[in-house]
Amino acid sequence: MKHLTKLLAAALLALGLNQAVWADNALDFRETLQSAEQGVAEAQFNLGTMYDSGQGVRQNYAEAFRWYRKAAEQGYAKAQYNLGAMYTHGQGVRQDYAEALRWYRKAAELEDAEAQNNLGAMYENGYGVHQNYAEAVRWYRKAADQGYAEAQYNLGVMYVIGYGGRQDYAEALRWYRQAAEQGHAEAQNNLGAMYGNGHGVRQDDAEAVRWYRKAAEQGNAEAQNNLGAMYDSGQGVRQNYAEAFRWYRKAAEQGHTKAQNNLGSMYYNGQGVRQDYAEAFRWFRKAAEQGNAEAQYNLGLMYYNGQGVRQDYAEAVKWYRQAAEQGDAEAQNNLGVMYDNGDGVRQDYAEAFRWYRKAAEQGDAAAQYNLGLLYENGRGVRQDYAEALRWYRQAAEQGNTEAQNNLGAMYGNGHGVRQDDAEAVRWYRKAAEQGNAEAQNNLGAMYYTGSGVHQDDAEAVRWFRKAAEQRHAEAQNNLGAMYYTGSGVHQDYAEAFRWYRKAAEQGYAKAQFNLGVMYYNGYGVRRNFHLSKEWFGKACDSGWQKGCDQYRYLNQAGY
């Protein structure tokens, strides 16, 4: 089950439009009204805030707007700012970004820091004016220089992204720190990310944790998720799944999709909480329905495996597709597998090829291997050993054992490359040492024949045994043959019989035939022509002609 990458470089920029400044609760509405009607700008502003907040009078945005305008037209900066906010949000007046911009500018030119910040946001987002990052930076800086935390945070974001100038992590760090030290939660989270990623400062997970915690304790969901990730991975703090679970849950309950996915993973893996597929499914669905690609992939996996929900390949396809269309490489590979096998969708090798390629081009090793298979076998694409070799190699170099084994086979058979047994052995060995049973059997065969390596029956036995113990039928048969002939091991018919039986019971035709021979001759078992005939018949049914011949012989003999 996938876990998200938890450390984020920066939060998305918020517009940063603040609520109006409220009047002093002690002001008497009647006295304020009288002063306002006499043209006192401060009283007009205060009366506007009373209507805005419903203090001492029924809330009425239209009246608030009217009194803010009177004060604003007299040059009262706070009223100009609030008037801009009313136009921005469409409160008491029809929303009008151009008018909002006009009033923010008036207040900003009077050095109102909040207005300067919001004017910067208007330029950044292109609200009421042509988008202009340089102007956005200029106004954010004016507000930031006055110590306004929101502007300091916004300026930090601009430096991280490189909007309005050159990307500069050191400057971003400086402004995030100033805002963070004033208790700005988003800045604290982003400052933590700067330490976590080593951007503008030496990488320091403990400092990252410290700042994430400050923001998380203020309820910032992004920081709660990030703090959970630090506990999850043991970065900057002792690994503690229970604490990771606790912080993921806090963020998840606020609707944070990455945290919901991470919480689902904790339930899925039983980390910090009792394993519960139904709960994992529930949290994955919450995140998936909000468009989180990781969660969509995970939800598809649960439908595919029937974990926490009834198995449903069609639903698995649906969720894999949603994640795949967002570029999730693992989902693209799994969607390819569904088309390849015809699970939940009509089998379509061309579609399988299309999705495997998308994932493979993103570097997904499983998809690179699968793409190589399609090229090797000519499914969904014209057979092309050179292309198969190319994709197997890319996957093999990432440590994919199936690709390493198949790359060895390409060298062994001279498919798409000049035949080279030594290279075949090299790739078989890489996969075999990682426990790939097919490669262990192939490596054993190379030692047995002395292909690409000095002939060594004992080494052949060793590798055949490793694969056989993983229930690899061909290796079990091969190991039986080594005991039968005494190659690399003391001859032992009973052991030969035992390994032949294991392979035969898996339907391996050669082993079924060999088991018939053992019964016929009484090697390692009491002689029994009836059982010999039965195993020869099974070998025949599995397509082994020698089994058919021996069955006919015994059948004609009356057994």
Side-chain angles (χ1 to χ4, degrees):
M1 186 60 59
K2 292 169 67 176
H3 245 354
L4 286 180
T5 300
K6 319 279 191 340
L7 295 176
L8 306 176
L12 292 175
L13 180 66
L15 180 58
L17 297 175
N18 300 317
Q19 295 296 317
V21 180
W22 309 129
D24 188 337
N25 290 335
L27 286 174
D28 177 78
F29 175 77
R30 194 180 302 272
E31 291 179 0
T32 304
L33 177 61
Q34 185 177 9
S35 296
E37 288 175 339
Q38 292 174 7
V40 177
E42 184 178 4
Q44 291 169 339
F45 166 74
N46 287 341
L47 188 60
T49 65
M50 296 178 85
Y51 276 113
D52 203 345
S53 63
Q55 293 178 349
V57 67
R58 182 178 297 178
Q59 189 178 55
N60 187 324
Y61 290 136
E63 276 297 289
F65 176 84
R66 188 168 74 89
W67 287 105
Y68 284 151
R69 179 177 283 278
K70 287 181 180 290
E73 288 173 346
Q74 293 193 65
Y76 196 82
K78 290 180 180 179
Q80 291 170 337
Y81 166 79
N82 284 0
L83 195 60
M86 300 292 278
Y87 273 114
T88 297
H89 298 297
Q91 291 177 321
V93 67
R94 188 172 61 182
Q95 189 180 59
D96 188 332
Y97 288 140
E99 275 297 288
L101 183 92
R102 187 168 75 88
W103 288 106
Y104 285 147
R105 187 182 303 280
K106 287 179 180 290
E109 288 171 349
L110 292 170
E111 302 302 324
D112 184 279
E114 291 174 284
Q116 290 170 337
N117 176 69
N118 283 14
L119 186 57
M122 302 296 276
Y123 274 110
E124 184 186 354
N125 294 293
Y127 293 155
V129 68
H130 288 298
Q131 190 175 57
N132 187 326
Y133 292 137
E135 274 296 284
V137 166
R138 187 169 77 88
W139 287 106
Y140 284 149
R141 184 179 297 279
K142 286 180 179 289
D145 285 340
Q146 292 193 65
Y148 188 63
E150 182 73 18
Q152 292 168 339
Y153 163 76
N154 286 341
L155 193 55
V157 172
M158 299 297 276
Y159 275 113
V160 164
I161 300 171
Y163 285 168
R166 188 176 49 136
Q167 186 182 59
D168 189 331
Y169 287 140
E171 273 297 285
L173 185 92
R174 183 168 78 88
W175 289 109
Y176 282 153
R177 187 182 302 281
Q178 290 189 43
E181 287 172 348
Q182 293 190 67
H184 191 285
E186 288 170 294
Q188 291 169 337
N189 175 69
N190 284 16
L191 186 58
M194 300 294 277
Y195 275 107
N197 295 318
H199 288 167
V201 67
R202 189 171 60 183
Q203 200 271 345
D204 187 333
D205 286 333
E207 270 298 283
V209 167
R210 187 169 79 88
W211 287 107
Y212 286 150
R213 189 182 303 280
K214 286 180 182 288
E217 288 173 348
Q218 290 192 69
N220 182 277
E222 187 74 29
Q224 290 168 339
N225 179 64
N226 287 343
L227 185 57
M230 301 301 274
Y231 276 111
D232 198 350
S233 60
Q235 292 176 278
V237 67
R238 182 178 298 179
Q239 190 177 56
N240 186 326
Y241 290 137
E243 275 295 284
F245 177 85
R246 185 169 79 88
W247 288 107
Y248 285 151
R249 179 176 286 278
K250 286 180 181 288
E253 288 173 348
Q254 292 191 64
H256 191 281
T257 62
K258 294 186 179 98
Q260 289 171 338
N261 180 65
N262 287 347
L263 188 61
S265 291
M266 301 299 276
Y267 274 113
Y268 185 90
N269 295 312
Q271 293 174 325
V273 66
R274 186 179 299 183
Q275 188 179 57
D276 187 332
Y277 289 141
E279 273 297 285
F281 178 85
R282 186 169 77 87
W283 286 105
F284 287 147
R285 179 176 284 279
K286 284 181 182 287
E289 288 175 345
Q290 293 186 71
N292 183 280
E294 295 271 2
Q296 290 168 341
Y297 165 82
N298 287 340
L299 195 60
L301 205 58
M302 297 203 76
Y303 273 114
Y304 182 81
N305 293 321
Q307 294 169 316
V309 67
R310 188 174 62 183
Q311 189 178 58
D312 188 330
Y313 288 147
E315 276 294 292
V317 166
K318 183 183 84 158
W319 290 106
Y320 284 152
R321 188 182 304 281
Q322 289 191 40
E325 287 173 349
Q326 291 193 66
D328 186 284
E330 289 177 271
Q332 290 170 338
N333 176 66
N334 283 16
L335 186 57
V337 170
M338 301 301 273
Y339 277 109
D340 205 343
N341 297 327
D343 292 332
V345 67
R346 187 167 58 184
Q347 190 176 56
D348 187 332
Y349 293 134
E351 271 298 283
F353 176 85
R354 187 169 76 89
W355 287 107
Y356 286 152
R357 179 175 284 278
K358 285 180 182 287
E361 288 173 347
Q362 291 193 69
D364 185 89
Q368 291 168 340
Y369 164 75
N370 288 336
L371 193 59
L373 276 178
L374 292 185
Y375 273 114
E376 183 178 5
N377 296 305
R379 293 202 307 257
V381 66
R382 189 173 60 182
Q383 188 179 57
D384 187 331
Y385 287 142
E387 275 296 286
L389 184 92
R390 183 169 78 90
W391 289 107
Y392 283 151
R393 186 182 301 282
Q394 289 191 44
E397 288 172 349
Q398 292 192 65
N400 183 285
T401 63
E402 291 170 296
Q404 290 170 338
N405 176 69
N406 284 19
L407 187 58
M410 299 294 277
Y411 275 108
N413 296 317
H415 288 168
V417 68
R418 188 172 60 183
Q419 199 272 345
D420 187 333
D421 286 335
E423 270 297 283
V425 166
R426 187 169 79 88
W427 286 106
Y428 286 150
R429 189 181 303 281
K430 285 181 181 287
E433 288 174 346
Q434 291 187 70
N436 184 283
E438 184 73 23
Q440 290 169 340
N441 179 64
N442 288 341
L443 187 57
M446 300 300 274
Y447 274 109
Y448 179 72
T449 60
S451 303
V453 68
H454 288 298
Q455 200 278 338
D456 188 331
D457 286 338
E459 273 296 284
V461 166
R462 186 168 78 89
W463 287 108
F464 286 149
R465 187 182 303 281
K466 286 180 181 288
E469 288 171 349
Q470 293 192 66
R471 300 188 72 251
H472 189 282
E474 185 177 353
Q476 290 171 336
N477 180 70
N478 288 347
L479 186 57
M482 300 300 276
Y483 275 109
Y484 183 86
T485 59
S487 302
V489 68
H490 288 298
Q491 189 178 55
D492 187 332
Y493 288 143
E495 273 295 284
F497 178 86
R498 187 170 77 87
W499 286 108
Y500 283 151
R501 177 179 285 278
K502 287 180 181 288
E505 288 173 346
Q506 291 192 68
Y508 190 71
K510 286 184 183 179
Q512 291 170 333
F513 177 82
N514 288 341
L515 200 59
V517 170
M518 301 298 276
Y519 274 114
Y520 183 85
N521 293 313
Y523 291 161
V525 66
R526 183 174 300 191
R527 194 175 199 183
N528 188 321
F529 290 134
H530 292 289
L531 286 177
S532 176
K533 176 185 172 183
E534 180 181 329
W535 282 107
F536 284 142
K538 288 180 183 288
C540 178
D541 293 340
S542 298
W544 193 253
Q545 183 56 43
K546 289 183 180 180
C548 300
D549 296 340
Q550 291 302 114
Y551 180 89
R552 184 180 65 252
Y553 169 76
L554 288 172
N555 191 55
Q556 290 173 347
Y559 292 104

